[in-house]
Amino acid sequence: MKVENCHIESEEFNNKLARLYSIENQDELSLSDQNFILTCGDDSDSEVRCRACELLAKFPSLKSEKFLLARLTDKDSLVRAEACDSISFSCSQSTLKELLRITNDKAVLVRGYAVLSAADVQRNLKESSTYTVQFLKNMELREKSRWVKIALCSALISLGCGEYQSKLIEFIDDKRYQNRCAALTRIRELISLGVLDDLPTVERALLARKEKESARSVLDSIDKTIKCIKLNTEI
């Protein structure tokens, strides 16, 4: 009986994931699919909950936002991180408050994505960012994780604090290749937002790093970032 139950549970899990992945290819969300995604929030499997959070970033709505807010307290840190990342479409002061609150989470990924989305929501609000900026500046001073510091520098630059640009550029020489990749990703995002200054200087720093870089993933990311700079300087 236990074997049979396990087989049924496994089949249900695969069917749920298959449906979630199929919804990703849709341009609009049907009521049936929306209701299905919302039921996944209480699924016993964290992968299903995580995938549901990721998917809702593509379909912003008040229902999506409410779902993602509830997942900010999920017991699984990956679900919390995905919820933080996906809720960046919000234009709500209360959601911004929740994102700032969760920046004290023990999980590095949760703190980092909470910071990035807090900056996104702050920009969406088109209101004074004084409180959010000071909050993130204080957090940057005490944060230990270099990955989160990268997110903090990026968030602050996006909110008009250009003095953090040099700090962000320094991370392309970080000893951990994951952090170098993260810094490059954030740089590309900021270039796309049009908030990164002196792109020729940024490009020179990237070329200098390329000369001594050995990690293939970082080299590819450097090339993508240089291409992004050239596209934006030609406009």
Side-chain angles (χ1 to χ4, degrees):
M1 182 63 73
K2 287 184 179 180
V3 173
E4 183 179 344
N5 287 339
C6 286
H7 175 73
I8 293 173
E9 289 175 2
S10 177
E11 187 174 357
E12 288 178 353
F13 167 74
N14 290 332
N15 288 340
K16 286 179 180 178
L17 280 184
R19 183 170 178 183
L20 287 169
Y21 278 104
S22 69
I23 294 172
E24 183 180 20
N25 299 319
Q26 300 176 13
D27 293 326
E28 295 183 2
L29 194 62
S30 69
L31 181 60
S32 174
D33 285 337
Q34 183 184 62
N35 289 335
F36 168 71
I37 295 173
L38 297 180
T39 63
C40 291
D42 295 319
D43 196 272
S44 60
D45 195 287
S46 61
E47 187 175 351
V48 171
R49 301 197 304 277
C50 197
R51 181 61 187 145
C53 289
E54 182 182 4
L55 190 55
L56 286 177
K58 186 180 177 182
F59 303 104
S61 69
L62 290 177
K63 284 188 176 180
S64 295
E65 186 169 358
K66 183 177 180 181
F67 176 96
L68 293 168
L69 280 170
R71 304 286 81 72
L72 293 182
T73 55
D74 195 279
K75 62 183 178 181
D76 188 285
S77 62
L78 290 179
V79 177
R80 297 198 301 278
E82 197 64 65
C84 285
D85 190 27
S86 293
I87 207 168
S88 61
F89 61 77
S90 173
C91 297
S92 165
Q93 277 283 2
S94 59
T95 294
L96 174 59
K97 183 177 180 180
E98 281 302 299
L99 286 168
L100 293 178
R101 180 191 63 78
I102 203 174
T103 57
N104 66 1
D105 197 281
K106 292 181 180 180
V108 167
L109 282 177
V110 177
R111 297 202 302 278
Y113 283 117
V115 162
L116 292 169
S117 283
D120 288 337
V121 175
Q122 179 64 70
R123 292 198 309 277
N124 295 342
L125 285 166
K126 298 183 180 1
E127 298 175 359
S128 172
S129 60
T130 303
Y131 176 82
T132 301
V133 165
Q134 193 56 56
F135 182 99
L136 296 178
K137 283 183 175 182
N138 292 342
M139 182 179 173
E140 194 274 333
L141 291 174
R142 64 177 186 272
E143 178 59 54
K144 302 299 182 185
S145 164
R146 292 177 67 77
W147 189 86
V148 179
K149 276 185 172 290
I150 291 169
L152 282 159
C153 288
S154 176
L156 285 162
I157 293 168
S158 76
L159 294 175
C161 302
E163 66 270 26
Y164 286 85
Q165 180 166 321
S166 59
K167 282 189 175 185
L168 178 61
I169 300 300
E170 288 175 5
F171 282 108
I172 66 173
D173 287 317
D174 195 89
K175 63 180 181 180
R176 290 176 58 85
Y177 81 90
Q178 296 95 332
N179 288 340
R180 299 199 296 277
C181 280
L184 290 163
T185 298
R186 302 283 86 84
I187 288 170
R188 288 196 298 276
E189 291 172 352
L190 292 169
I191 292 172
S192 297
L193 285 173
V195 295
L196 212 57
D197 297 325
D198 195 5
L199 293 182
T201 297
V202 177
E203 184 176 3
R204 286 193 293 273
L206 294 173
L207 290 171
R209 179 66 218 179
K210 188 175 181 179
E211 289 295 315
K212 52 188 175 183
E213 184 58 61
S214 59
R216 184 73 260 170
S217 59
V218 180
L219 286 167
D220 289 344
S221 193
I222 289 174
D223 287 340
K224 284 175 65 178
T225 309
I226 291 174
K227 183 178 180 180
C228 187
I229 289 174
K230 292 187 180 302
L231 286 172
N232 278 267
T233 52
E234 288 173 0
I235 296 175

